């Protein structure tokens, strides 16, 4: 999951009113860019029944309906990743708090009831669910689970005991409600380093409860190469935010060249473990610097930033051209997809990662049809 620093929110209250006013003046003076229309060939027919995961990361909301699923069907999406959260008070606090109901800080869609209802609505349209629990850090320490790091071995044992309760709850939920795959962890780079035995024990316990395919979502920066327990899982999951450029607005040719080294690294791990690879997350902002640090959220303070749909589209095209033809590559989950998102130029969404109502969505749809 892309990382958003808490410090960037400190100035938001001061700049919000000014930024909105400036954007409104710009919007009034600048007509909306034309939106891509799917060709008849693109819009026709379901995707091939080849077992590939044609996925998007679903943004939880206050409801889920059949109408929310229709744009996914049109985009040939066959999977969604749903993300409930566990909470830690700090990076070195060995307790994961499980929240299964709707609360003041939790969306309905992240509650057990919301996860189940969303999965049911998706399944009625032929769309499967990857249940992908995440951890969130509180107390101003940041939100990236890669920061989690106990200071003692006793702390790690306490953490694994607490984390196991967290994951086993969702394993039971996934089994009871026929969710098609389960991710047992996301970007826990310190927890996976040097704790192979603990993960193998957790995987064995999960398999006693849940009988669908399992994966782990490893960080792109090296964690996926260090994990020693891929053989115990069903596919290799990678959060594929590889940096592909040092300059803004690269073209597709430059991006294709930049993918060569990450491709080599991924292929080496795949050959070692002989497991299929899935990008459990991949996405690009709608900004000129989308390929420089793909994991970074767009700067919410930069209200005058010009959207760059061409760069986002080039990033999608280069990624699909590099990986989709490979038989060992079994699919991906695009970060991210908002249910009910209208086709306008709202300041909140236009610089965002979503491909919705942008040229990137057409590229995704076309490749998902292959």
């Amino acid at each position: 999951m892309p990382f958003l620093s808490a410090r960037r929110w400190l100035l938001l209250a001061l700049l919000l009113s000014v930024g909105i006013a400036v954007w409104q003046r710009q919007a009034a003076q600048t007509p909306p860019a034309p939106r891509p229309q799917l060709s008849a060939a693109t819009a026709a027919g379901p995707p091939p029944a080849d077992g590939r995961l044609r996925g998007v990361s679903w943004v939880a909301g206050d409801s889920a309906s059949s109408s929310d699923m229709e744009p996914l069907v049109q985009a040939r999406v066959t999977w969604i990743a749903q993300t409930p959260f566990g909470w830690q008070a700090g990076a070195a606090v060995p307790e994961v708090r499980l929240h299964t109901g709707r609360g003041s800080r939790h969306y309905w869609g992240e509650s057990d009831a919301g996860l189940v209802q969303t999965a049911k609505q998706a399944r009625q349209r032929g769309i499967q669910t990857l249940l992908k629990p995440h951890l969130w850090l509180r107390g101003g320490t940041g939100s990236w689970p890669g920061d989690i790091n106990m200071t003692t071995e006793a702390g790690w044992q306490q953490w694994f005991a607490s984390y196991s309760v967290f994951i086993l709850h969702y394993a039971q939920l996934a089994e009871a409600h026929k969710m098609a795959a389960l991710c047992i962890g996301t970007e826990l780079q310190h927890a996976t380093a040097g704790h192979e035995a603990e993960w193998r024990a957790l995987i064995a316990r999960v398999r006693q409860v849940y009988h669908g395919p399992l994966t782990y979502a490893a960080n792109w920066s090296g964690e996926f190469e260090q994990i020693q327990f891929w053989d115990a899982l069903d596919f290799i999951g990678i959060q594929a935010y590889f940096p592909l450029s040092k300059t803004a607005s690269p073209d597709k040719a430059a991006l294709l060249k930049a993918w060569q080294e990450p491709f080599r690294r991924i292929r080496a791990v795949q050959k070692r473990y002989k497991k299929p690879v899935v990008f459990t997350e991949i996405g690009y902002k709608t900004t000129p610097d989308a390929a420089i640090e793909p994991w970074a959220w767009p700067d919410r303070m930069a209200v005058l930033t010009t959207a760059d749909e061409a760069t986002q589209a080039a990033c999608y095209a280069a990624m699909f051209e590099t990986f989709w033809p490979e038989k060992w590559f079994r699919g991906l989950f695009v970060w991210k997809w908002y249910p009910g998102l209208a086709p306008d130029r709202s300041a909140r969404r236009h610089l965002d990662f979503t491909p919705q109502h942008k040229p990137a969505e057409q590229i995704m749809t076309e490749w998902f049809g292959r």
Side-chain angles (χ1 to χ4, degrees):
M1 178 183 294
F3 174 68
L4 176 62
S5 172
R7 292 192 296 270
R8 289 187 174 179
W9 291 103
L10 295 178
L11 297 178
L12 183 58
L14 297 175
L15 298 180
L16 184 58
S17 60
V18 174
I20 291 175
V22 171
W23 174 80
Q24 286 175 335
R25 287 198 300 271
Q26 284 191 330
Q29 296 169 2
T30 305
R35 296 296 166 198
Q37 300 296 319
L38 297 183
S39 66
T42 299
D50 56 5
R52 275 193 162 171
L53 284 68
R54 296 165 168 84
V56 296
S57 295
W58 181 264
V59 178
D62 292 328
S63 64
S65 67
S66 179
S67 62
D68 292 329
M69 305 300 161
E70 182 58 29
L72 298 178
V73 174
Q74 294 300 316
R76 288 174 166 159
V77 170
T78 59
W79 284 74
I80 58 172
Q82 292 199 72
T83 307
F85 283 92
W87 303 84
Q88 283 189 220
V93 177
E95 180 185 7
V96 178
R97 295 190 176 184
L98 177 65
H99 293 276
T100 61
R102 180 175 180 172
S104 60
R105 298 185 180 182
H106 311 287
Y107 289 108
W108 168 86
E110 295 171 4
S111 69
D112 283 6
L115 295 167
V116 170
Q117 179 65 17
T118 302
K120 179 180 177 181
Q121 293 286 353
R123 191 162 53 248
Q124 289 173 350
R125 302 306 307 272
I127 298 169
Q128 301 296 330
T129 289
L130 166 69
L131 190 58
K132 188 169 178 274
H134 281 232
L135 295 183
W136 192 273
L137 302 185
R138 286 177 167 171
T141 56
S143 62
W144 188 45
D147 291 333
I148 293 170
N149 195 4
M150 302 302 110
T151 57
T152 66
E153 185 57 31
W156 274 120
Q157 294 309 310
Q158 293 176 43
W159 183 88
F160 273 104
S162 182
Y163 185 77
S164 295
V165 172
F166 169 71
I167 285 296
L168 286 167
H169 169 79
Y170 288 110
Q172 292 166 345
L173 190 75
E175 178 73 12
H177 297 281
K178 300 180 175 62
M179 297 183 192
L182 175 67
C183 182
I184 63 167
T186 300
E187 296 179 336
L188 298 164
Q189 59 179 10
H190 295 298
T192 55
H195 294 101
E196 178 184 352
E198 289 88 342
W199 285 100
R200 289 188 180 276
L202 176 57
I203 292 166
R205 293 181 67 187
V206 169
R207 290 205 184 275
Q208 292 176 353
V209 173
Y210 176 72
H211 298 94
L214 302 178
T215 191
Y216 173 86
N219 187 254
W220 63 270
S221 63
E223 185 191 13
F224 78 96
E225 294 164 299
Q226 297 169 2
I227 286 176
Q228 303 296 312
F229 53 85
W230 286 128
D231 60 291
L233 298 171
D234 296 289
F235 57 90
I236 296 166
I238 301 175
Q239 307 280 92
Y241 297 105
F242 295 89
L244 300 173
S245 180
K246 295 182 178 180
T247 60
S249 303
D251 60 20
K252 187 177 74 171
L255 294 167
L256 287 169
K257 183 177 180 180
W259 265 119
Q260 293 177 12
E261 179 59 18
F263 180 95
R264 182 197 64 77
R265 293 167 55 197
I266 294 168
R267 181 60 167 142
V269 173
Q270 190 278 325
K271 285 183 176 180
R272 178 182 176 186
Y273 290 99
K274 296 179 174 57
K275 297 284 185 177
V277 172
V278 172
F279 289 164
T280 42
E281 280 183 25
I282 189 166
Y284 300 95
K285 304 179 293 292
T286 319
T287 59
D289 64 349
I292 297 175
E293 292 184 338
W295 62 87
W297 283 82
D299 189 346
R300 304 292 179 165
M301 302 294 102
V303 294
L304 301 182
T305 299
T306 300
D308 189 346
E309 294 182 347
T311 293
Q312 185 192 44
C315 289
Y316 271 66
M319 180 272 295
F320 275 107
E321 288 185 27
T322 299
F323 289 95
W324 205 256
E326 303 296 328
K327 292 182 178 180
W328 50 265
F329 184 73
R330 295 302 299 275
L332 57 91
F333 289 85
V334 165
W335 182 267
K336 57 187 177 169
W337 189 276
Y338 296 92
L341 185 65
D344 57 28
R345 291 177 62 88
S346 66
R348 181 184 179 192
R349 300 294 185 224
H350 196 68
L351 300 179
D352 205 334
F353 284 84
T354 179
Q356 290 164 274
H357 313 301
K358 303 171 187 176
E361 182 180 357
Q362 183 175 5
I363 291 170
M364 180 187 81
T365 302
E366 291 174 347
W367 278 96
F368 278 180
R370 300 188 186 188

